[in-house]
Amino acid sequence: MVMVMWSTKKLSGREEKQDGYDRREWRIRLKKSSHEQVIAWCSVPLRTYPDPDESGGNSTWPWDGLPGLPWTGGNKTGDNNSLATLLPSGDNRTYTNTNITDTSTLLLSQGPVHDPQLINFWFFLWFYYGIYNAIALLLITKIFNIYSLNWWPKALGGLTSFFIFWLTTQLMGILVYYFTGLGAYSLTWVFLTFCTMTIPLFVAFLVIRSENRNVYRHSLTVAQKTFLTYSIESRIPASYIRFLWFCVALAIALSTIVTGKVYADQYIKSTRDEGPHKTIEGLVYVYSWVATIYILDTLTDYIVETRVRSYPLSSIFKLYYFMIYFIFYRNLFVRLRSYEQFVVIQLASSFWVCIFHPICMSHYVYRALVYLFGITRTYDEYKRQVGRGLFLRNLAENATMLAFLLWVNILYFGPNSKIYTYFQFKDMNHAMDHDKTVYASLGIWASELISNFINRSICKRFLGHHVTKEALKDFKEYPELIVVFVLVMIHILQDMLLALLDLKFA
């Protein structure tokens, strides 16, 4: 948290030069600040069992192990049968005690059965999930700041409210783990964080109503009291309606995380049960998800542009959706079974990028939209909107690809490799492996950079719009956007890593 706050504070400073702004330095800072946090987070070894360096045992309660250190393992020996009953017949290996009580926990494995690595629940809860949960709540707080509204009660203050709601979700995680048997599902933890991020909406709603900011409070003249009492009293302030639309847009965006997790689980499950997908199946997976993201993005963008009327919020939500789309797309690479699938999927994407934005930015499309839908923006404003979409798409492409290339190596060679079996390539009966996947991914990234260069060149030469310069103008006008962009990238990247973690607790 300290690293995140320091990085975002550094990025949001207003020391940039108005004329000689270093675009390259800005891009490096924006990407590094998000990737440093995420890669450091997933690189820290999670406490797992059995651990060959220890004498055995596990920790199921905070007072097990060394005093005051609930994440360290003790020498407690228990019944080995609870885990043994979950193993395939003929497996006579012996494991340490575990409170896994449901066969569904081992079914979560995304590959064949190996020596089970059981994660220490307390280390996971307070370090791994705790940081992820705090980043999510910080993101929502910053989005409310962009909206110019504090979601917390004045009596508590921001820092106290932040800690209370973060701690509440952490305690809910303990209850889920010990009393429901759902702790072994990563979807459970994603949903808990979804609750963490939506609770501020309800709190802000209650605060506004408690302050009577949802009713018309202007005093009435004698004539109004006589003739217009009913109509005046029934009026709802425009600011309150705007707030309700803001809540709708935010709820739609947050629900996408849970929907995407379910979608990814289904794809991984079908891969595990039926083997690697064919090329057409990969295309259906990618572009059905693309269609879903574009529909939700269009709906949210319409609400924010026409009802909330906030340009910074519109940019935040657009980056949010692009990040969700691309991070799922990147991790699909691990399950592609040939170079042909890489080429087919990427050719469709690159071709789409090269023609879509220049066509959308053309004056012909603009006039058609004015005629059909009556848009009121000027042509320059319209080009700025389309160019912003291209810039945010490129930002999400590069951020997710760099993150994928970093963690596909760290989680393949690093200490957490045994609890990220998705990246081990051991359940793939085809020619693709770690090295070939990395090379193919680098090839895809190169093709994306080339197609984006062509795209921006067309916009600059033939349509008179410089995508990067316009984006820098936005950051100079709304410097707080950089902070929120960093938090959006960190949150989405962490969300994907949490979704792919093999949750089998000790």
Side-chain angles (χ1 to χ4, degrees), residues 2 38 102 108 112 158 172 180 191 215 239 307 326 338 346 460:
V2 174
V38 176
D102 193 278
L108 292 174
M172 288 173 59
T180 68
F191 182 75
V215 295
S239 60
R307 298 294 185 266
F326 278 110
S338 66
Q346 186 55 33
K460 181 180 179 181

Side-chain angles (χ1 to χ4, degrees), residues 1-20:
M1 284 297 298
V2 174
M3 292 176 63
V4 173
M5 295 300 294
W6 178 85
S7 298
T8 54
K9 182 178 179 181
K10 181 179 178 181
L11 282 169
S12 62
R14 305 190 182 199
E15 302 175 342
E16 60 269 14
K17 300 177 182 179
Q18 294 296 320
D19 298 325

Side-chain angles (χ1 to χ4, degrees), residues 249 252-253 255-256 289-305 313-326 356-357 385-386 388-390 392-393:
I252 294 173
S255 64
T256 310
W289 183 240
V290 170
T292 302
I293 290 298
Y294 270 96
I295 290 172
L296 294 175
D297 176 41
T298 302
L299 176 61
T300 305
D301 192 60
Y302 173 80
I303 292 173
V304 174
E305 289 279 351
L313 284 176
S314 178
S315 300
I316 292 168
F317 284 122
K318 191 165 288 291
L319 176 64
Y320 180 88
Y321 282 113
F322 275 133
M323 285 293 298
I324 292 175
Y325 157 51
F326 278 110
F356 176 75
H357 289 91
Q385 182 189 31
V386 177
R388 178 193 61 179
L390 174 59
L392 295 176
R393 176 191 174 93

Side-chain angles (χ1 to χ4, degrees), residues 74-136:
N75 295 323
K76 178 180 176 182
T77 304
D79 182 14
N80 297 323
N81 294 329
S82 57
L83 178 61
T85 56
L86 303 179
L87 297 174
S89 59
D91 193 330
N92 298 320
R93 293 170 290 186
T94 301
Y95 302 98
T96 57
N97 179 40
T98 176
N99 56 5
I100 295 177
T101 57
D102 193 278
T103 56
S104 60
T105 52
L106 283 186
L107 294 178
L108 292 174
S109 174
Q110 295 159 353
V113 176
H114 306 292
D115 291 346
Q117 293 293 311
L118 307 180
I119 300 172
N120 181 284
F121 171 73
W122 298 101
F123 189 85
F124 166 82
L125 178 71
W126 298 113
F127 173 77
Y128 202 84
Y129 180 71
I131 293 177
Y132 164 74
N133 202 25
I135 292 292

Side-chain angles (χ1 to χ4, degrees), residues 364-377:
Y364 300 104
V365 173
Y366 169 74
R367 286 188 294 179
L369 293 175
V370 171
Y371 177 77
L372 295 174
F373 301 103
I375 64 173
T376 57
R377 297 187 188 91

Side-chain angles (χ1 to χ4, degrees), residues 263 266-290 329 332 335-337 340-341 344-345:
Y263 196 78
Q266 290 299 315
Y267 181 82
I268 293 172
K269 183 178 183 298
S270 62
T271 302
R272 184 179 64 237
D273 296 342
E274 304 171 9
H277 292 292
K278 299 178 180 178
T279 301
I280 187 63
E281 293 172 334
L283 287 172
V284 170
Y285 169 76
V286 171
Y287 289 102
S288 60
W289 183 240
V290 170
Y329 172 48
L332 167 68
R335 288 297 179 266
L336 296 182
R337 62 195 184 110
E340 176 190 355
Q341 290 186 333
V344 170
I345 291 177

